[in-house]
Amino acid sequence: MQPINEIKLEFLSKSSNEAFARVVAAAFVSQIDPTLEELADVKTAVSEAVTNAVIHGYENSQGLIRMHCKLFCDAVEIIISDDGVGIEDIELARQPLYTSKPDMDRSGMGFTVMESFMDIVEVTSKPGEGTTVYMFKTFKSLIK
Amino acid sequence: MIAGVVGELDHHSADYIRQKLDAELVKASNKNIIFDLSKMSFMDSSGIGIIMGRYKNIQKLGGKASLVGLSDQSRRIFEMSGLLKIVPAYETIDEALKNM
Ligand SMILES: Nc1ncnc2c1ncn2[C@@H]1O[C@H](COP(=O)(O)OP(=O)(O)OP(=O)(O)O)[C@@H](O)[C@H]1O
Ligand SMILES: [Mg+2]
């Protein structure tokens, strides 16, 4: 499947870039005109992945976060990656309500939200090297 | 206390919102809180943490919390986390007040 459009974005792990990244993703995806609800799904999933890179990946120190989006006629692929601390046990990290930072008002629902708002969520990570989150969503409203 | 969230609730805005809420809660004589989210334009899982954190604090003081004005998106996120079982959602502020 050939994408009809593609973008790559690299930005500092500042919390103000969480809104920037999700707005960019939504603007990019809006080219194929999905429903507002589908756009909100993408926005929320991107916000979760980028926030995780900021809070957990770089633990509020500064590093670069990459977002790579490919647009298809009725779907989007989004890859968000960081070169931060990485995840020891991915299966545990993805469990609903699991958080390594319960003291910071985190609820441990980020991955669960991504899974529920996107069709596919795949996580690869190596401790000390970083984390990559691959997400894919087909827009039901655009399937012909 | 009725707390209205206007705009976006994410990790970036959460610090400010948390500080505001906690400062007002310290001053308030009545420890019940209604979160009015009807003017909130975006929320991710940071919202669960904010509501849950405030709920835990006021619960110790005998206070109750409830939610009003949920969008479909925020309702889905709260439902997933089980939060609505302990912090119920209502259609209107009046209805929330009646059930305090
Ligand atoms: N990019 C990342 N780098 C390192 N660790 C991560 C990363 N993303 C997630 N994690 C780990 O996975 C756990 C679960 O992530 P998830 O987003 O589900 O919950 P959370 O971020 O802790 O809480 P919430 O997203 O609800 O505020 C985190 O607590 C963290 O330990
Ligand atoms: Mg998270």
Side-chain angles (χ1 to χ4, degrees), chain A residues 37 40-41 44 117, chain B residues 37 40 43 69-80 84 91:
Chain A
E37 199 201 329
D41 290 353
T44 312
F117 288 2
Chain B
L37 307 183
M40 184 176 72
M43 186 194 90
L70 300 196
S71 63
D72 290 348
Q73 205 79 13
S74 64
R75 183 179 295 277
R76 269 174 78 192
I77 293 173
F78 286 134
E79 253 163 16
M80 266 175 232
L84 296 182
E91 289 303 317

Side-chain angles (χ1 to χ4, degrees), chain A residues 47-53 55-56 98-99 106-111 114, chain B residues 45-46:
Chain A
S47 194
E48 296 295 350
V50 172
T51 301
N52 279 352
I55 303 181
H56 306 295
Y98 171 81
T99 178
R106 305 318 306 176
S107 63
M109 290 300 292
F111 279 129
M114 289 181 241
Chain B
S45 66
S46 307

Side-chain angles (χ1 to χ4, degrees), chain A residues 71-82:
Chain A
L71 199 59
F72 302 91
C73 59
D74 57 6
V76 68
E77 173 191 297
I78 301 176
I79 299 168
I80 291 166
S81 57
D82 66 65

